[in-house]
Amino acid sequence: MSTLIFGHKNPDTDTITAAITLAEFEKQDGNTDVEAVALGTPNAETKFALDFFKLNPLRVVKTVANETEHVDLVDHNEAQQSVDDRADVTIDKVIDHHRVANFQTEAPLYMRVEPLGSANSVIYKMFKEKGYTISPLIASLMASGLISDTLLLKSPTTTDQDRAMFADLQKIADVDLKDYGMKMLKAGTNLAARSDQDIIDGDAKSFTMGGKTVRIDQVNTVDLNDIYDRQDAIVAAMQAEKDAEGYDLFVVIATDIMNSNSTAFALGEKDKLEDAFGKKFDANDRLDLPGVVSRKKQVVPVLTDSFEK
Amino acid sequence: MSTLIFGHKNPDTDTITAAITLAEFEKQDGNTDVEAVALGTPNAETKFALDFFKLNPLRVVKTVANETEHVDLVDHNEAQQSVDDRADVTIDKVIDHHRVANFQTEAPLYMRVEPLGSANSVIYKMFKEKGYTISPLIASLMASGLISDTLLLKSPTTTDQDRAMFADLQKIADVDLKDYGMKMLKAGTNLAARSDQDIIDGDAKSFTMGGKTVRIDQVNTVDLNDIYDRQDAIVAAMQAEKDAEGYDLFVVIATDIMNSNSTAFALGEKDKLEDAFGKKFDANDRLDLPGVVSRKKQVVPVLTDSFEK
Ligand SMILES: [Mn+2]
Ligand SMILES: [Mn+2]
C-alpha cells in the first residue's frame, strides 16, 4: 500500500506541484512507495503548467482509506479542506504554510508549517537541508507553486526566503521563470471559458470561524470588468450554492493580478466582512479591497477576528 | 515586550530545558528579545539538572497577555496543557514532539513537530541546519531533556536520530552524560520526599478523548513497592482531585525506570483503560503494564482509540 500524498480540495497549482515535489523528496529520502494524487482535476492555470512540462494530471481520489493506511498532507491541514475519510487513516506528515485549525492526530507525526509564500517553499528547504538533488523539472514545479500562490512574488505573503529560493530555482530551471510564470498566471484568468459555477467553486475553501461556516472563493483576472459584467449571474449561482450547502457567509474575491487589487461579492453575514475591513458594500453591492491579493494573509485573519470577537 | 518561550504546565525536564535551548537558538537567529519562562516550578529531577549546571529556575508565569503579545511554545501544543490565556496572544512558533490536538491559530505560523524522543531533539536539528553554535552547557541541557523523556534512550520513543544526537552531544558536553543522566533520573524518583498530592500531580497532563476529559499522570521510581506501599493514600488523593476537577478518567502510571515496566491506578472510566490494553485490573486494583514506559507512545494512542471507537 503506497503512502498517498495530496493537497487540498479544489486543487490549485501549489497544491498539485507540492504533492509531486514532496513525493520526489520522499523517494530521495528512501521512501519509494509513495504516490502523489489529487482531490480534484487541475484548474486552467495548473493545466497550463502540467501541459508545459508534458506531465499528466495526478490521479484523482475521493477517498483514501480504501487503498492505504498512511497519508502525507501538503498545502493544507484543516479537515474540511482535506479528503473526506481522513479520520480513517494515519497522517504521517504535514507540510504547509497556512494557519493551523481543525487538525488533530492520535500520535506524534512530522508536521512542518512555515509562514512562507508556498508549500513548495517549505519543501525546497527540506531538499536543501538534506542536500537532495533538485532537477530542472522539480525546480520548475516548485517555482510554479510559488508563482501561483504569490502572484509572481507580488503578494504580501512573499518572504525574503521565497525571493532567494526563486533566484536559486531560476539557476536550476531550463525556462525563464518570470516569462513562464506570467503566461501561467494569465492562463488561469480566461474567465470567458469558465461557467459561473466554476468561477465560484474553482478556488473555494471552507473555514470555521466562531462556529460559523464561511466559504471563501478567489478568482484571478486581468480585468475586473470581466467579473462585473457577470455579477448578476455569479451572485445567483452563489445564492443557489449557499442555500444548498448552508454557508453562513459566502464570499467571492475577484483579484486583478496586474494591479494587485480585489473586489468582493458576498451573501449571508456580510456585516462581518464589512466589519473586518471597516468599510461598506457600495451601491453595486461590491466591496472594493484595494491592495488585497492574499486570502490567507489579508482576508482570513481579519474575518476570523470579526466572527470571534 | 519580550517574546516569551515556555513549555507545558507541570513542567518536566524536557519542557524547561527546551525553553532555554530554543531561547538560545532565537538569540543566534537574531531575535534577541526573548525570555524562557515556565508555567510552574521545577520538579525534583529538573531541580537536580539546574543545580548541577548552576542555573536558576526559570521565572514562573501564570498568564502571558499581561506582558507580551507573542509567544513560542515548546514541548506541547494542546490548549489545556498550555498557559490559560493563550487565546489572547499570537503564537509565533511551536516546537514539539507530541500529537497535535486542541490547537489552532488565525494566521500562518512556524510549527515544527517531529516524532522524536524529545522537544530538544527537534531544537538540536534546528541548530545543526543553521550551523549555530552548541555550547557545552546547551549540549548538556539538550541531553538532559532527551534523557528525561526517553529514560536514557530506553523508551520506545527513542529514534536513531536521538541516538546519533546523544553521541554528538557527548562530544560537546563537559560531563559524562550517561553517568550524569542516571543520577538525574534517580533524583526524580525520591518518592519519600514527595506528598501524595505531588505524586499524582507532578507530571500530570489532561487530554480530550472522544469528548471526555482524561487526566494521566506518570511517576518514575526505582522500586514499584514504594508506590504500592502508598496505594491507599494515593488513590484517596486521586478521588478528591477527580471529584473537584470532574475528570472522566484519572490514571496514575508508576514507571520502574530500572526495569522498564509500569503499573497503573485509575478512577472513573477504568473499562476504557482495560479495553485499551486488553486486560483487567487485578485483585489489588492495579493494572500491570509490562514494557510500558511512554505515556505518549504506549498509552495515549490506544486509550484515545478506546474512547473514540
Ligand atoms: Mn499554497
Ligand atoms: Mn518532551
Side-chain angles (χ1 to χ4, degrees):
Chain A
M1 292 187 305
S2 300
T3 293
L4 296 183
I5 304 177
F6 52 86
H8 52 75
K9 287 177 175 171
N10 286 340
D12 60 16
T13 303
D14 189 39
T15 256
I16 296 288
T17 55
I20 298 170
T21 60
L22 183 64
E24 172 64 20
F25 175 90
E26 290 300 315
K27 283 171 189 165
Q28 292 193 39
D29 207 41
N31 306 317
T32 50
D33 195 11
V34 298
E35 181 187 357
V37 295
L39 303 186
T41 52
N43 63 30
E45 182 194 283
T46 308
K47 193 165 180 334
F48 174 90
L50 295 175
D51 287 349
F52 192 96
F53 296 108
K54 300 187 170 48
L55 296 174
N56 290 320
L58 296 178
R59 180 165 71 89
V60 174
V61 298
K62 293 295 173 198
T63 58
V64 290
N66 51 301
E67 56 172 305
T68 191
E69 286 173 2
H70 293 273
V71 302
D72 294 347
L73 310 184
V74 293
D75 199 33
H76 76 294
N77 65 83
E78 302 195 40
Q80 74 282 6
Q81 298 167 6
S82 198
V83 75
D84 290 334
D85 64 343
R86 185 170 88 171
D88 301 330
V89 294
T90 300
I91 303 167
D92 288 336
K93 210 168 265 200
V94 177
I95 311 296
D96 196 11
H97 67 129
H98 294 90
R99 74 168 189 175
V100 176
N102 300 307
F103 180 83
Q104 88 165 62
T105 63
E106 283 181 15
L109 77 164
Y110 184 99
M111 181 166 188
R112 186 155 170 175
V113 182
E114 299 197 32
L116 300 175
S118 67
N120 274 291
S121 307
V122 185
I123 297 169
Y124 168 82
K125 288 179 75 173
M126 292 165 62
F127 269 88
K128 294 306 254 187
E129 284 162 8
K130 293 260 192 170
Y132 292 164
T133 306
I134 298 176
S135 69
L137 174 62
I138 292 294
S140 301
L141 293 175
M142 286 179 173
S144 299
L146 177 63
I147 290 165
S148 173
D149 270 18
T150 61
L151 300 179
L152 242 175
L153 309 181
K154 284 199 294 188
S155 161
T157 55
T158 314
T159 68
D160 287 344
Q161 289 184 55
D162 294 310
R163 281 180 278 267
M165 159 189 168
F166 187 84
D168 186 39
L169 293 176
Q170 181 60 81
K171 286 182 207 146
I172 305 169
D174 290 331
V175 294
D176 181 324
L177 289 177
K178 272 201 184 147
D179 179 63
Y180 156 77
M182 189 47 75
K183 286 185 181 127
M184 182 193 81
L185 288 174
K186 282 193 180 155
T189 65
N190 182 10
L191 300 185
R194 296 174 65 187
S195 68
D196 300 320
Q197 189 62 40
D198 186 45
I199 284 173
I200 69 169
D201 261 352
D203 186 34
K205 292 182 183 176
S206 293
F207 299 87
T208 309
M209 298 181 183
K212 300 295 181 74
T213 300
V214 179
R215 180 84 165 174
I216 309 176
D217 179 54
Q218 186 170 20
V219 54
N220 289 343
T221 179
V222 290
D223 183 354
L224 285 171
N225 287 310
D226 291 348
I227 289 286
Y228 297 152
D229 290 346
R230 295 167 66 172
Q231 180 169 353
D232 289 349
I234 287 171
V235 170
M238 289 169 67
Q239 184 67 57
E241 181 169 317
K242 177 176 178 298
D243 292 345
E245 302 292 336
Y247 306 140
D248 296 295
L249 173 64
F250 190 0
V251 184
V252 170
I253 300 165
T255 299
D256 176 348
I257 64 169
M258 307 310 280
N259 298 301
S260 300
N261 288 316
S262 293
T263 292
F265 304 154
L267 289 171
E269 300 192 17
K270 293 163 64 174
D271 59 308
K272 295 293 194 304
L273 199 63
E274 292 180 328
D275 179 61
F277 289 100
K279 61 191 301 186
K280 298 282 179 188
F281 277 82
D282 67 18
N284 292 313
D285 216 12
R286 299 168 191 159
L287 191 69
D288 198 30
L289 301 172
V292 169
V293 297
S294 168
R295 167 172 50 192
K296 182 171 69 171
K297 191 155 187 160
Q298 295 171 293
V299 180
V300 171
V302 289
L303 191 56
T304 303
D305 263 346
S306 169
F307 269 96
E308 296 188 349
K309 78 181 180 190
Chain B
M1 292 186 307
S2 300
T3 293
L4 296 183
I5 303 176
F6 52 87
H8 53 76
K9 288 178 174 169
N10 285 341
D12 59 17
T13 303
D14 188 39
T15 256
I16 296 289
T17 54
I20 298 170
T21 60
L22 183 63
E24 172 63 21
F25 175 90
E26 291 299 315
K27 284 171 189 166
Q28 293 194 38
D29 207 41
N31 306 318
T32 49
D33 196 11
V34 298
E35 181 186 359
V37 296
L39 303 186
T41 52
N43 63 29
E45 181 195 284
T46 309
K47 191 162 183 337
F48 174 91
L50 295 174
D51 288 348
F52 193 95
F53 296 107
K54 301 187 171 44
L55 297 173
N56 290 321
L58 297 178
R59 180 166 70 90
V60 173
V61 298
K62 293 296 173 196
T63 59
V64 289
N66 51 301
E67 56 172 307
T68 190
E69 288 173 1
H70 293 273
V71 301
D72 295 346
L73 310 183
V74 292
D75 199 32
H76 76 295
N77 65 84
E78 301 195 41
Q80 73 283 3
Q81 298 168 6
S82 198
V83 75
D84 290 334
D85 64 343
R86 185 171 89 172
D88 301 329
V89 294
T90 300
I91 303 167
D92 288 336
K93 210 169 265 199
V94 178
I95 310 297
D96 196 10
H97 67 128
H98 294 89
R99 73 168 190 176
V100 176
N102 301 306
F103 181 83
Q104 88 166 62
T105 64
E106 283 180 16
L109 76 164
Y110 183 98
M111 180 164 187
R112 185 155 172 176
V113 182
E114 299 198 32
L116 300 175
S118 67
N120 274 291
S121 306
V122 184
I123 297 169
Y124 168 82
K125 288 179 75 174
M126 294 166 61
F127 269 87
K128 294 306 255 188
E129 285 162 7
K130 293 256 190 172
Y132 292 163
T133 304
I134 299 176
S135 68
L137 174 62
I138 292 294
S140 300
L141 293 174
M142 285 178 173
S144 299
L146 177 64
I147 290 164
S148 173
D149 270 18
T150 62
L151 300 180
L152 242 175
L153 309 181
K154 283 198 294 185
S155 162
T157 56
T158 314
T159 68
D160 288 344
Q161 290 184 54
D162 294 310
R163 281 179 277 267
M165 159 191 168
F166 186 84
D168 187 38
L169 293 176
Q170 181 59 80
K171 287 182 205 145
I172 304 169
D174 290 332
V175 295
D176 180 324
L177 290 176
K178 271 200 186 147
D179 180 63
Y180 156 77
M182 189 48 73
K183 286 184 181 133
M184 182 192 81
L185 288 174
K186 282 193 180 158
T189 64
N190 182 10
L191 299 184
R194 296 173 65 186
S195 68
D196 300 320
Q197 188 62 39
D198 186 45
I199 284 173
I200 69 169
D201 261 351
D203 186 34
K205 293 182 182 176
S206 293
F207 300 87
T208 309
M209 298 181 182
K212 300 296 181 74
T213 300
V214 179
R215 181 82 165 175
I216 309 177
D217 179 55
Q218 187 169 19
V219 55
N220 289 342
T221 178
V222 289
D223 184 353
L224 285 171
N225 286 310
D226 291 347
I227 289 288
Y228 297 152
D229 290 346
R230 295 167 66 172
Q231 179 169 354
D232 290 348
I234 287 171
V235 171
M238 289 170 66
Q239 185 67 56
E241 181 169 318
K242 177 177 177 297
D243 292 345
E245 302 292 335
Y247 307 140
D248 296 293
L249 173 64
F250 190 0
V251 185
V252 170
I253 300 165
T255 299
D256 175 348
I257 64 169
M258 307 310 280
N259 298 300
S260 300
N261 289 315
S262 293
T263 292
F265 304 154
L267 289 171
E269 300 191 18
K270 293 163 63 174
D271 57 309
K272 295 293 196 301
L273 199 64
E274 292 180 328
D275 178 60
F277 289 100
K279 62 190 301 186
K280 299 283 179 187
F281 277 81
D282 66 18
N284 292 312
D285 217 13
R286 302 169 190 160
L287 191 69
D288 198 31
L289 301 172
V292 170
V293 297
S294 168
R295 168 171 49 194
K296 181 171 67 169
K297 191 154 187 161
Q298 296 171 294
V299 180
V300 171
V302 289
L303 191 55
T304 303
D305 263 347
S306 169
F307 270 96
E308 296 188 350
K309 78 180 178 190

